[in-house]
Amino acid sequence: MNSNDIQQFFNTLKDFLQHAETELNAYEKRQEACKYAEEVWDKEIEYLAAKYEVTADYIIEEFMI
């Protein structure tokens, strides 16, 4: 390998690592969004169960499947 090949390899590696970091950040944001949505959804189910005086399991079985 000559110096140009080595430099190209390092540039490619640097680009790959930057892309990987971007993808990891995007994945973490998606996971946070899913967790938040799940928490909100759980609260909504609890609210509906209390409103209609039924159990949360009933709401899930009847309306979520």
Side-chain angles (χ1 to χ4, degrees):
M1 291 180 90
N2 61 31
S3 63
N4 287 338
D5 291 339
I6 293 170
Q7 186 62 40
Q8 183 178 2
F9 171 77
F10 281 118
N11 288 340
T12 303
L13 180 61
K14 181 180 173 184
D15 289 343
F16 172 79
L17 292 175
Q18 288 174 346
H19 179 72
E21 183 178 358
T22 301
E23 290 300 316
L24 284 172
N25 289 337
Y27 174 77
E28 289 172 355
K29 286 183 181 181
R30 285 192 306 271
Q31 291 300 102
E32 288 175 13
C34 286
K35 183 178 177 183
Y36 174 76
E38 186 176 302
E39 289 172 359
V40 169
W41 190 247
D42 288 345
K43 289 180 183 177
E44 181 68 19
I45 290 172
E46 290 173 8
Y47 167 77
L48 290 172
K51 180 178 177 180
Y52 296 109
E53 298 177 354
V54 296
T55 64
D57 289 338
Y58 175 80
I59 297 288
I60 293 169
E61 285 178 22
E62 291 296 321
F63 302 105
M64 306 302 167
I65 295 178

